[in-house]
Amino acid sequence: SLNCLDWSLLTPATEEVLALAEEVKGRFQGDPSFEYSLAEINPEAAARLVQSGKEPVMKEEARLIATIEQIDRAVGIVPRGAFVKTPLGSVHENRHFEGLSLVEAKKLSSYFHFTEPTNLKNKTLLEKADLDPSTDFLNSLEHDIPQGKGSWSIQLEKGGSVVVLRSLLWLGLTFYHVPMTKQFGYVYFGTGEKNLDLPFML
């Protein structure tokens, strides 16, 4: 939206746009039609675009689409058990999910990335023995790099009635969950820049 009154959907991000957006550094300009010159940012990527008959520029609108996709992939999370996987492989919202207990809600292992799992196949048989294939089919936050609480900050708000997780990789991403209820979600208020200094801040 340009005026907070009229809204339109963004198109899905392609892998090509995601790769180009990784090259663009700095803050957003606030103008969807602003064009970043890729020749100045990455001459090789610009040359490939010219060879394929495309202009070596990237509009801010495309960068915004890619940044939203990057944030969703990297730090879009859900509580354990909020979604289930059927034996046929489809994923559905778990109608029996009643929220995490307060004890479980304070653990990083109780939250999963809501994206295609990447490191589940690397677990040993002993580790897999404790997993429930219907609920533990996503990557847990406890395996994020840097491990432990290096990528996330967990806090209790309102006297322990709300658990808040904040991403230290994408500063401005806040996830909340009200234990013993179905209420959870996340919101991002940030500059659209990944915190590449995170390893030096620990």
Side-chain angles (χ1 to χ4, degrees):
S1 176
L2 294 172
N3 56 12
C4 294
L5 295 171
D6 303 309
W7 297 84
S8 57
L9 288 172
L10 294 170
T11 55
T14 62
E15 292 301 323
E16 182 187 26
V17 169
L18 285 167
L20 289 174
E22 288 272 358
E23 306 293 335
V24 181
K25 302 288 182 270
R27 296 205 172 180
F28 283 82
Q29 305 298 312
D31 176 9
S33 60
F34 178 83
E35 294 183 342
Y36 297 92
S37 172
L38 293 173
E40 297 169 13
I41 299 164
N42 186 335
E44 292 172 11
R48 283 197 302 273
L49 283 174
V50 170
Q51 285 175 353
S52 62
K54 297 176 183 172
E55 284 189 70
V57 293
M58 178 178 212
K59 286 197 170 183
E60 179 146 299
E61 183 180 2
R63 183 188 175 196
L64 176 64
I65 291 167
T67 302
I68 292 169
E69 182 68 21
Q70 286 174 334
I71 291 169
D72 275 342
R73 286 186 185 183
V75 289
I77 61 175
V78 294
R80 181 178 185 264
F83 289 85
V84 290
K85 189 174 189 178
T86 67
L88 297 175
S90 59
V91 177
H92 301 283
E93 194 174 332
N94 185 359
R95 288 181 293 175
H96 302 292
F97 177 69
E98 294 296 337
L100 299 171
S101 68
L102 184 57
V103 174
E104 289 296 313
K106 291 192 275 186
K107 298 178 186 174
L108 268 183
S109 57
S110 297
Y111 301 95
F112 295 145
H113 288 281
F114 198 47
T115 55
E116 201 68 39
T118 53
N119 61 12
L120 278 184
K121 296 184 183 87
N122 303 335
K123 288 184 181 274
T124 64
L125 287 173
L126 200 58
E127 289 173 317
K128 287 180 180 175
D130 294 329
L131 301 181
D132 180 344
S134 66
T135 55
D136 299 317
F137 59 94
L138 299 168
N139 290 331
S140 169
L141 264 58
E142 66 181 332
H143 302 300
D144 283 10
I145 298 171
Q147 283 203 339
K149 293 185 180 175
S151 303
W152 295 91
S153 156
I154 300 182
Q155 287 144 355
L156 297 176
E157 304 284 348
K158 296 182 72 176
S161 59
V162 180
V163 178
V164 174
L165 276 76
R166 291 186 173 91
S167 172
L168 304 178
L169 181 63
W170 286 94
L171 296 172
L173 187 287
T174 302
F175 170 89
Y176 71 90
H177 174 50
V178 180
M180 308 305 290
T181 75
K182 295 184 177 186
Q183 295 179 44
F184 67 88
Y186 64 89
V187 65
Y188 177 76
F189 293 104
T191 61
E193 297 172 288
K194 189 189 284 187
N195 181 20
L196 299 175
D197 294 330
L198 177 58
F200 305 104
M201 294 166 66
L202 301 174

